[in-house]
């Protein structure tokens, strides 16, 4: 109870509204982001089941409305199999030095395929071709 005689029990409710009484409505952007996150989580679960037998110790996660596939292929054939299975159309990708990152859409959700060791596999292939010409 307040020690101020001018504040009555009824006016405390006006000063400190009950939780949730004046909660703002979520913005349309927040609602859309939540829906994207839920869709990505569902797609990640489906993908983890679907890709369980694939080579390269796959890890499938969802964050910020995006599905991420992290793989460790042992050969370029394994890497090609991953790209084919996920329907990758942009074969360029971005090399980070130790990994190749390819952006794609999986089950209607933004996704990326991260292949650790893939740049080294490509470098080994290039070296083998270069050695055969000499």
């Amino acid at each position: 109870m307040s020690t101020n005689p001018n504040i009555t029990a009824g006016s405390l409710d006006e000063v400190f509204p009950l939780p949730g009484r004046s909660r703002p409505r979520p913005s349309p952007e927040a609602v859309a982001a939540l829906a994207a996150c839920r869709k990505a989580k569902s797609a990640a679960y489906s993908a983890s089941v679907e890709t369980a037998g694939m080579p390269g110790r796959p890890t499938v996660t969802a964050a910020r409305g995006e599905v991420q596939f992290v793989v460790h292929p042992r050969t370029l054939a394994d890497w090609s199999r991953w790209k084919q299975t996920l329907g990758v159309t942009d074969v360029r990708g971005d090399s980070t030095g130790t990994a190749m990152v390819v952006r794609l859409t999986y089950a209607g959700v933004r996704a990326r395929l991260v292949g650790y060791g893939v740049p080294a596999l490509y470098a080994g292939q290039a070296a083998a071709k270069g050695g055969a010409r000499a």
Side-chain angles (χ1 to χ4, degrees):
M1 191 92 197
S2 173
T3 57
N4 186 342
N6 296 325
I7 298 180
T8 62
S11 65
L12 280 177
D13 288 338
E14 296 168 8
V15 177
F16 302 106
L18 295 174
R21 271 178 96 183
S22 62
R23 182 176 296 163
R25 301 184 119 216
S27 69
E29 293 83 11
V31 172
L34 180 61
C37 287
R38 286 182 178 156
K39 190 172 182 181
K41 185 176 179 181
S42 174
Y45 175 76
S46 298
S48 65
V49 172
E50 182 180 316
T51 60
M54 296 283 292
R57 302 184 326 257
T59 303
V60 183
T61 58
R64 296 178 299 281
E66 182 176 89
V67 177
Q68 179 172 291
F69 300 86
V70 177
V71 297
H72 301 268
R74 294 183 182 181
T75 64
L76 286 175
D78 290 348
W79 179 242
S80 295
R81 184 174 170 199
W82 271 103
K83 292 189 302 184
Q84 183 180 11
T85 300
L86 296 177
V88 174
T89 55
D90 181 12
V91 293
R92 289 175 289 158
D94 297 317
S95 176
T96 64
T98 58
M100 181 70 71
V101 180
V102 179
R103 303 227 178 254
L104 63 131
T105 300
Y106 178 81
V109 177
R110 288 179 304 129
R112 64 182 145 165
L113 173 62
V114 181
Y116 281 98
V118 173
L121 294 173
Y122 280 123
Q125 181 186 39
K129 285 183 180 178
R133 291 181 186 164

